[in-house]
Amino acid sequence: MEPAAAAHDVVRPQVVLLDVNETLSDLAPMGEAFADVGLDARDVPAWFAGVLRDAFALTVLGDNPSFADVGAATLRVRLAAAGVPDPAGGAEQVMGRFASLEPHPDVVPGLRGLTDAGCRIATLSNGSSAVARALLDGTGADDVVEAYLDVADAGAWKPDARAYRSALATLSVDAGQAMLVAVHPWDIEGARRAGLRTAWINRTGADYPDHLGPADVEAASFVELAEMLGASPR
């Protein structure tokens, strides 16, 4: 894989589009939510990946499912398999916790830094825009987000190009003037193919998968990304 560009090699975007689930929100408390309803706390990553898998499949088949619906349905299957007496109630409890997560510590100062660097900011989520808004409400970063967007009106989940193009049209910005920021390489690949610039937030020091095109920028946090873009030319 080619290395991500240094700050001085990156042209600062006019608009920064933010993925929400895991990129902004910290999923760590979901382990406790799983344990509270009788599931293994270690199964959260597998559940989340399964939600994405099923929703991606439905998107390919022409549907545009609700994240909450797919998330709850897959939880009910897991709870029933675990012998939990009330799978529906347990799924509702876990999804309620998912909707009340908090942002990673680097998010709020990083978003304010991106604004200081001259970037417009909007979210683009496969989940509900209301969940994204609630995530940042009252954090000190809510006033820097210009728009909370999701894929409900786009007709398809990310990484389908329609999702990114819908957001670009709403924000009246060309693809080359926008940057998608995410922790998910599949999201970055979709945005890259749609013509956007991309930034990978790599909080864990993981290796980027070789079978996908590299992000334009790699940063360990939103704070580092803001510093990089603030030092780059317009």
Side-chain angles (χ1 to χ4, degrees), residues 207-233:
D207 291 332
Y208 199 88
D210 290 337
H211 58 283
L212 300 175
D216 295 303
V217 179
E218 178 180 337
S221 68
F222 271 97
V223 172
E224 183 178 3
L225 177 63
E227 292 172 350
M228 294 171 71
L229 295 184
S232 66

Side-chain angles (χ1 to χ4, degrees), residues 15-212:
V15 171
V16 173
L17 276 177
L18 309 171
D19 175 54
V20 177
N21 294 330
E22 284 195 297
T23 299
L24 299 183
S25 60
D26 183 359
L27 265 59
M30 291 298 293
E32 182 179 348
F34 265 46
D36 287 344
V37 297
L39 295 176
D40 191 326
R42 296 170 295 182
D43 287 345
V44 173
W47 164 75
F48 187 74
V51 174
L52 297 178
R53 176 203 62 208
D54 289 357
F56 291 166
L58 290 170
T59 296
V60 170
L61 295 170
D63 295 338
N64 189 23
S66 157
F67 184 100
D69 289 346
V70 178
T74 53
L75 281 168
R76 288 193 293 271
V77 171
R78 286 179 173 272
L79 288 161
V84 175
D86 182 14
E92 182 178 1
Q93 181 176 330
V94 173
M95 290 306 296
R97 186 68 186 90
F98 186 87
S100 61
L101 293 171
E102 296 183 355
H104 290 281
D106 61 292
V107 168
V108 173
L111 297 192
R112 299 206 69 86
L114 288 170
T115 299
D116 292 342
C119 300
R120 297 165 56 195
I121 298 176
T123 64
L124 177 60
S125 179
N126 282 335
S128 166
S129 60
V131 171
R133 188 183 298 274
L135 177 70
L136 296 178
D137 185 39
T139 63
D142 51 344
D143 62 334
V144 305
V145 179
E146 176 179 329
Y148 292 91
L149 308 177
D150 59 37
V151 300
D153 296 325
W157 274 45
K158 298 181 298 174
D160 190 294
R162 287 173 289 175
Y164 308 102
R165 290 170 183 161
S166 176
L168 295 174
T170 299
L171 296 168
S172 300
V173 64
D174 293 335
Q177 297 172 327
M179 173 179 280
L180 186 281
V181 184
V183 298
H184 305 120
W186 57 261
D187 200 355
I188 289 169
E189 179 70 3
R192 184 182 70 84
R193 295 195 184 200
L196 286 76
R197 283 172 275 170
T198 57
W200 184 40
I201 300 297
N202 182 14
R203 295 186 178 97
T204 64
D207 291 332
Y208 199 88
D210 290 337
H211 58 283
L212 300 175

